[in-house]
Amino acid sequence: MSKFLPPESFAATGAYDLLPFNFTRLEGDSYLATNMVGESLIVDRSTLDDLVNKRLAPSHPSYTDARAKHLIAEKGDKASAELLALKTRTRYQRLQNFTNLHMFVTTLRCDHSCQYCQVSRQSEDKGAFDMTLEMADKSLDMVFRSPSKAVKIEFQGGEPLLNFDLIRYIVSKAKVRAAAEGRDLEIVIATTLSLATTEILEYCRDNHILLSVSLDGPSDLHNKNRPRPGKDSYQRFVANLQAAREIVGYDRVSALMTTTLASLPRVREIVDEYVGLGFEGIFLRALSPYGFAVKTRVYAAYDTEQWLKFYKDGLQYIIELNQAGIPFREYYTTLILQKMFTCADPGFVDLMNPAGIGIAAVVFNYDGSVYASDESRMLAEMKDQTFRLGSVLENTYEEIFLNEKLLSTLEESFTLSAPMCSECAFEPFCGADPVFSHAVYGDVVGRKPASDFCKRNMAIFRHLIQLMREDREVEALFRRWSALC
Amino acid sequence: MLERVISFDPAAYSLETIQRAAYRYIDKFSIGFNVKEASIDCILQFDKEVDDLDGVIQDFRKEVLDQHLRARIAKETESIRHLILAHAFSRTGLV
Ligand code: SF4
């Protein structure tokens, strides 16, 4: 007798059970079907009908695909459900680690006065807007209560370099504790670079600190978006970028941009600026509906449709650059593609389910307050303290992280139970953004059909799928992007 | 306010299926129901910004069909879905 079963044993029988999957109409007669981990299939309506009603013949071209993508399992096949469970577990693996990104707002003071900035203060008053040593110590105690083996500390502001002594203090203490506990420590400073001196940069080099810098586009646009005394934000940026790359390391510096009304017609120039300055990609971000951006009406200055046009134009241009032999990526697209093509969750706060607040990231503010996310503290600047979890000076770790508001928000906004999300084929690619919903609609779930968050993401998902269906080269490029990070 | 009435056969579609479909059009119309033995009448009141009423109604009908199919998948896969999620979350301490 052979050790192996004959090939007929593996042939499709045509008798199958359904596995959990969702579907959503794309355009015309096409439907996207996805399982719980985002494995997907595009079929027409009659094939979908046959699939669900168990009439799909094994000879149908979609049959094998539906099996391979775990939308159906042949009778008696237990392995498919087990594999799906394993992949689902991989997808939610992050949850075990709980919080790994800890943001420290070392000061609210800033040398810039950006119109869209939510929080910064033009003040010399260190006492009023700087984090104290005691708060830093207590915050560090919380950081090292996290079960995560990998600990990431990100310094935010204001301009965090204005309180560099405190950064040194926190870094030296965090390093000692991480070494003693055998944890991996990653440190990032989010800065405009305008105040970066050689001494600061050398310190960053010696302590393996990453720099996340701000670049909004060509000189005139950057200076308009980011006013500072001397009107030289861009010039300082370029000079200090070069110094930072030389001292800290070329690949230790990444950039972030903010899209204002003035940016909208200029996406190609913005991308050119990034390419010209040697960056490998760009994050085309929409303005958030918080803080000064709302107060000064900058947020309302453009709507989702306008931003989507900006994004689509930018992405098209980036594809053209790649086709012309210039490798360059759009990072939001890359995050989504990772979710489309792999079981791993990239852990981006806006695209996580359960929501990333408190779980993926937590903010220690300059005044000792702890917030569930960066957006939560911006909301607090508008006198909305909904997502303030407590204070490092007054509350214990348990009181902060078992905060009723945090837990109920996570539960209510869980996309597998939220109306519309729970049956949306894009759900595995999307996330829950309760702070956005709360800020705009007043409840943490929001009505998805009217939500800008849903509208924006759904339009992007549809667009990416369409681009890949229209052009195999684009699909190959997107697959490469998703495999890169 | 523009109003239209459309009907579905209760033998083919449940009220819940129609309600789920209607949720997706929350930004286009509000809906009331008149459930009778032979039909479920839906009274649609359109927001004034909506101009293509027929297009939206046609879309809504397709959505009801889709919801019907979704309900079928959900019913058949409910237990396996719970099993998979329980397995996925079992080590997180969240369940
Ligand atoms: S927010 Fe919109 S796109 Fe995202 S899962 Fe929910 S319904 Fe789908």
Side-chain angles (χ1 to χ4, degrees):
Chain A
M1 198 178 79
S2 161
K3 269 165 66 176
F4 302 104
L5 291 170
E8 304 84 74
S9 308
F10 301 97
T13 62
Y16 61 86
D17 290 320
L18 300 179
L19 291 172
F21 71 89
N22 281 325
F23 64 85
T24 292
R25 200 175 341 143
L26 295 173
E27 70 288 337
D29 194 27
S30 295
Y31 281 77
L32 173 77
T34 58
N35 70 7
M36 297 164 80
V37 291
E39 292 172 303
S40 66
L41 190 65
I42 295 175
V43 287
D44 59 31
R45 188 60 165 81
S46 71
T47 306
L48 180 68
D49 251 328
D50 287 346
L51 181 74
V52 176
N53 290 306
K54 301 189 181 171
R55 293 191 302 255
L56 199 67
S59 56
H60 192 285
S62 295
Y63 188 93
T64 318
D65 265 356
R67 260 182 93 186
K69 304 282 176 64
H70 301 314
L71 302 185
I72 59 172
E74 293 230 324
K75 289 268 182 223
D77 164 16
K78 292 214 171 57
S80 289
E82 280 169 18
L83 266 172
L84 192 54
L86 210 66
K87 289 177 180 181
T88 310
R89 183 176 226 165
T90 308
R91 199 169 186 89
Y92 292 107
Q93 200 177 14
R94 254 168 210 284
L95 293 176
Q96 287 175 54
N97 295 333
F98 210 60
T99 317
N100 90 323
L101 172 59
H102 307 265
M103 290 181 251
F104 279 68
V105 180
T106 51
T107 179
L108 273 198
R109 292 179 296 124
C110 188
D111 59 327
H112 282 73
S113 49
C114 308
Q115 49 176 338
Y116 51 76
C117 176
Q118 347 281 9
V119 291
S120 73
R121 296 285 187 283
Q122 309 296 300
S123 168
E124 297 295 313
D125 188 351
K126 293 186 185 186
F129 298 116
D130 283 13
M131 183 183 267
T132 64
L133 292 181
E134 186 196 3
M135 290 171 196
D137 279 334
K138 295 236 155 96
S139 303
L140 274 173
D141 287 343
M142 301 261 172
V143 171
F144 285 92
R145 285 288 304 274
S146 164
S148 178
K149 185 173 183 302
V151 169
K152 183 170 172 180
I153 292 180
E154 181 172 311
F155 294 107
Q156 288 269 358
E159 170 51 66
L161 298 188
L162 279 170
N163 194 4
F164 199 68
D165 285 344
L166 189 74
I167 292 181
R168 283 178 203 270
Y169 178 82
I170 295 170
V171 169
S172 65
K173 289 210 152 189
K175 280 178 77 172
V176 172
R177 291 179 77 156
E181 295 178 20
R183 303 210 204 204
D184 302 326
L185 178 65
E186 183 179 317
I187 301 170
V188 182
I189 302 179
T191 170
T192 62
L193 276 187
S194 63
L195 303 171
T197 60
T198 304
E199 191 199 343
I200 288 177
L201 294 174
E202 284 174 349
Y203 178 85
C204 292
R205 176 196 60 203
D206 297 342
N207 288 280
H208 308 289
I209 295 174
L210 292 158
L211 297 171
S212 170
V213 302
S214 321
L215 172 64
D216 284 357
S219 170
D220 64 309
L221 181 61
H222 185 90
N223 284 339
K224 184 170 190 283
N225 278 357
R226 299 183 176 269
R228 75 179 299 283
K231 300 187 174 60
D232 60 351
S233 182
Y234 177 84
Q235 287 67 23
R236 279 174 173 258
F237 174 82
V238 174
N240 289 338
L241 175 67
Q242 200 182 344
R245 281 173 166 168
E246 277 166 16
I247 297 171
V248 187
Y250 200 93
D251 58 346
R252 308 290 291 167
V253 188
S254 61
L256 268 183
M257 68 152 301
T258 302
T259 311
T260 61
L261 186 62
S263 320
L264 290 183
R266 302 183 63 179
V267 70
R268 290 183 175 230
E269 289 172 72
I270 296 170
V271 172
D272 281 340
E273 187 65 33
Y274 271 68
V275 174
L277 286 172
F279 290 105
E280 290 175 350
I282 190 167
F283 202 137
L284 297 172
R285 291 194 306 167
L287 269 180
S288 313
Y290 316 105
F292 290 175
V294 171
K295 250 195 246 169
T296 56
R297 295 177 186 274
V298 182
Y299 171 67
Y302 58 85
D303 60 22
T304 303
E305 290 299 339
Q306 288 169 292
W307 182 83
L308 279 168
K309 184 177 177 316
F310 169 85
Y311 166 82
K312 287 180 185 174
D313 282 356
L315 183 60
Q316 182 53 37
Y317 184 49
I318 292 169
I319 291 170
E320 287 165 19
L321 286 177
N322 279 277
Q323 285 167 340
I326 301 168
F328 193 79
R329 280 188 294 162
E330 200 289 307
Y331 291 131
Y332 194 61
T333 310
T334 304
L335 288 165
I336 292 168
L337 293 170
Q338 269 198 302
K339 296 189 82 167
M340 284 184 173
F341 293 137
T342 73
C343 293
D345 188 321
F348 182 63
V349 179
D350 290 359
L351 290 176
M352 283 177 74
N353 178 52
I357 58 166
I359 294 190
V362 66
V363 177
F364 300 106
N365 210 11
Y366 72 99
D367 59 357
S369 305
V370 183
Y371 290 101
S373 68
D374 207 23
E375 289 76 18
S376 309
R377 71 145 168 154
M378 293 168 186
L379 213 56
E381 291 298 323
M382 293 180 73
K383 309 277 176 281
D384 181 342
Q385 300 279 356
T386 307
F387 299 101
R388 183 180 184 273
L389 305 179
S391 161
V392 291
L393 301 177
E394 292 155 17
N395 300 104
T396 63
Y397 182 84
E398 284 74 14
E399 283 168 351
I400 286 175
F401 286 97
L402 295 178
N403 177 299
E404 182 46 38
K405 184 67 198 172
L406 175 65
L407 296 184
S408 65
T409 299
L410 289 173
E411 194 181 337
E412 279 170 38
S413 64
F414 193 52
T415 54
L416 293 178
S417 56
M420 204 160 123
C421 298
S422 60
E423 59 195 36
C424 172
F426 302 119
E427 187 278 331
F429 319 141
C430 200
D433 199 353
V435 185
F436 180 101
S437 289
H438 170 86
V440 181
Y441 309 107
D443 77 279
V444 295
V445 180
R447 289 170 167 186
K448 300 302 172 192
S451 145
D452 280 330
F453 174 81
C454 176
K455 192 171 168 186
R456 186 175 69 216
N457 280 331
M458 207 184 269
I460 293 177
F461 304 143
R462 287 179 184 280
H463 186 61
L464 298 182
I465 290 168
Q466 191 186 348
L467 288 176
M468 290 192 276
R469 289 182 81 193
E470 282 170 2
D471 189 339
R472 290 281 157 209
E473 253 187 59
V474 171
E475 187 189 335
L477 174 71
F478 281 3
R479 285 193 182 270
R480 286 201 296 281
W481 284 7
S482 73
L484 268 173
C485 17
Chain B
M1 191 174 283
L2 282 165
E3 195 175 287
R4 291 282 183 91
V5 179
I6 58 170
S7 302
F8 293 93
D9 178 358
Y13 303 106
S14 70
L15 179 62
E16 191 189 341
T17 295
I18 302 168
Q19 283 170 327
R20 277 180 177 268
Y23 183 79
R24 295 184 172 233
Y25 295 84
I26 220 162
D27 58 334
K28 295 200 167 62
F29 57 71
S30 59
I31 189 165
F33 299 99
N34 194 356
V35 184
K36 297 183 284 199
E37 204 169 312
S39 76
I40 300 176
D41 296 339
C42 308
I43 303 111
L44 314 183
Q45 293 190 320
F46 284 87
D47 294 355
K48 43 183 183 313
E49 305 87 61
V50 180
D51 37 26
D52 180 18
L53 265 57
D54 291 335
V56 175
I57 290 174
Q58 204 184 351
D59 242 35
F60 174 51
R61 283 190 179 279
K62 282 189 192 166
E63 187 57 39
V64 172
L65 274 175
D66 287 353
Q67 285 297 345
H68 184 63
L69 218 51
R70 286 192 185 103
R72 212 192 149 111
I73 303 172
K75 192 168 162 223
E76 185 171 329
T77 63
E78 193 183 353
S79 58
I80 180 100
R81 190 176 135 95
H82 286 154
L83 205 72
I84 290 170
L85 283 176
H87 184 63
F89 284 97
S90 60
R91 284 175 57 202
T92 62
L94 290 182
V95 290

